Amino acid sequence: STTDHIRNFCIIAHVDHGKTTLSDRLLEQTSTVQRRDMKAQLLDSMDLERERGITIKSHPVSMLYQLDGKDYLFNLIDTPGHVDFSYEVSRSLAACEGALLLVDAAQGIEAQTVANAHLAMEQGLEIIPVINKIDLPGAQPEVIEQQIEDVLAIPREEAIHASGKSGIGIDDILEAVAKRLPPPRWTEGPCARVLIFDNVYDTYKGVICYVRVFSGTLKAGDEVMMMGTGQKTIIKEVGRFSPSMIPEKELAAGRTGYVVTAIKNLTEIKIGDTITQASDPASTMLPGYKEVRPMVFSGIYPLDTSDYNKLKASMAKFQLNDAALVYQPESSVALGFGFRCGFLGLLHMEIVQERLRREYDMDIISTYPSVVYKVKLTDGTIKEVHNPVFMPNTDLIEYIEEPTIRATIHTPSSHIGDILALVSEKRGMCDHTETVDGTRVMLVCTLPLNEILIDFNDRLKSITKGYGSMDYEIGEYQQSDLVKMDIMVNAEPVDAFSSIVHRDKAESRGRVLCERLKEIMPQQMFKIPIQATVGSKIIARETISAFRKDVTAKCYGGDISRKRKLLEKQKEGKKRMKQIGKVSIPQDAFIQILKTS
Ligand code: GDP
């Protein structure tokens, strides 16, 4: 057929196994870019992405390749590498027929390798294993081949030995893409079905959708419909990345490229949606579409309250590029005016916060993250709560439901006991274990989302010395014995410290918070009780003893200028105090607690 020469594929790998270097090398070898233009690595550019070893956004690239007198069109599609973005990963994989599975010849198979390979297999992709960095003195290709066979059940003979750095095996890889990967699937459908697997906002063009055309064609001027949302729009431009945007007359079945429509707002175009012709719509959309909803919420406040407007402008600008971020204004007694923000997961949250700090130069503090609780009230209504401050009074609540996750955990078998203990500590249940090979085990568990927010992944990594990995999907809501815990300073509740916890954990968490606060709070002129309460019950208590703070005492009354300096310093510090009832709490105390609790 007319699409026999097209190959849509991606590269999946554990972080640092050489994906970026190899991608660049493929572009160079196919003369898509010249060596002298390769200064910065092309496919992976954002600083934060590089540090975290994750790709958040990078576009597909088209390459031309010749083999045995035949011209091929290769489309290399990049995939994000983290569980928070697993939906985006699955959509990118769905746009491909094959994947290069990259394994570092010295490091061997690691957690992300396995998770990614399984995702690709689930999408029905053909996998070409590549043992990379073969130039390293510590390379052990035979050992890695055995691992690939044992862990992933891919015959060892299929592995290609390569080095993105020195260029070994690059031709073999290109040839294997042409020969071993299948041409585009599902091209025969009578109507247009085009998968949006990612999109970005461009100041000039509006939303640029990264698409894979399964059947039919798209061209400028077409009136199209988004099947998931029902929205209609006009196509303004179609084209490919090579690697910069190159407009084309049309995108036909089997192709990968970009589409610009009349829609200017990123939030109106959904990743995973199917584009079809409005006049001749397909009867069913492509599989796998779902509405992504924020799962984790947290307050973001300017450190300096006068920065509120600057933060507001930054948030608006930020959202233009990140449709997954939602936010609305909120205020806190302790922290002033800020925003309640919703994120896909914990990493997404960290990325947003970090980028606000770096790229928008904002000094911000974020509150303890929360999931979305469903609260059944005694009047029969259900209220969604994602800020503990708005949890209704206990006497109005019939029950509370919390979101759970279905987690798939891979761990070396030697650590299975510790992992099971961790799961149980986090109120989880393990309902399936399976041996992956002689050395690895896979566990399937149900856990409350709330319990994995803070340190689950870190603990998993440290228990397994980095060899464990977790992937999850959002599960059902389940009824749990949850309570709202408040922290009272001098009998006044401090809203920023309220949290929703399981009843069994309230006391220990309350005690930790009170102790931390006592450590951080300066002594005041009178005795101050710090209490953790659930309803009207006090579950933990500390007391800060009275102390008259006199910073000039040390100066022995002698040096006047030194005395003045100290007093000014103290005044400076006062500005950063928050008044809770009669007590001044340094803003820094909030930050310390929110950072460490
Ligand atoms: P990514 O995180 O998978 O995108 O990995 P990178 O392409 O950024 O590579 C990670 C590190 O490995 C960098 O320091 C590269 O210079 C190095 N590297 C990549 N490919 C090779 C290779 O084939 N041989 C050697 N010796 N080093 C490599």
Side-chain angles (χ1 to χ4, degrees), residues 332-405:
S332 147
V333 179
L335 302 169
F337 290 99
F339 298 95
R340 192 78 189 159
C341 305
F343 311 94
L344 294 176
L346 213 61
L347 181 85
H348 184 216
M349 179 175 91
E350 284 175 30
I351 289 170
V352 172
Q353 292 169 358
E354 198 59 28
R355 288 186 60 193
L356 281 172
R357 290 195 180 100
R358 288 192 202 185
E359 292 163 37
Y360 295 82
D361 198 24
M362 293 298 316
D363 279 333
I364 51 167
I365 174 76
S366 57
T367 61
Y368 201 73
S370 169
V371 299
V372 183
Y373 297 96
K374 288 186 181 165
V375 184
K376 175 83 184 284
L377 299 173
T378 44
D379 69 2
T381 56
I382 290 179
K383 186 181 157 103
E384 290 200 351
V385 176
H386 56 65
N387 184 345
V389 173
F390 298 120
M391 184 57 82
N393 274 338
T394 350
D395 48 342
L396 298 174
I397 298 175
E398 204 173 303
Y399 59 81
I400 302 176
E401 288 186 339
E402 63 178 339
T404 63
I405 58 159

Side-chain angles (χ1 to χ4, degrees), residues 13-22 41 44 50 132-136 162-166:
H14 193 82
V15 57
D16 272 346
H17 282 201
K19 175 163 127 174
T20 315
T21 309
L22 182 73
Q41 285 186 324
D44 201 0
R50 293 239 36 91
N132 193 34
K133 304 197 191 180
I134 206 85
D135 59 297
L136 284 175
S163 164
K165 198 167 203 170
S166 73

Side-chain angles (χ1 to χ4, degrees), residues 27-41:
L27 300 192
E28 194 188 298
Q29 194 86 346
T30 54
S31 308
T32 310
V33 288
Q34 302 304 320
R35 180 133 227 190
R36 60 187 150 78
D37 298 329
M38 298 278 312
K39 281 197 196 82
Q41 285 186 324

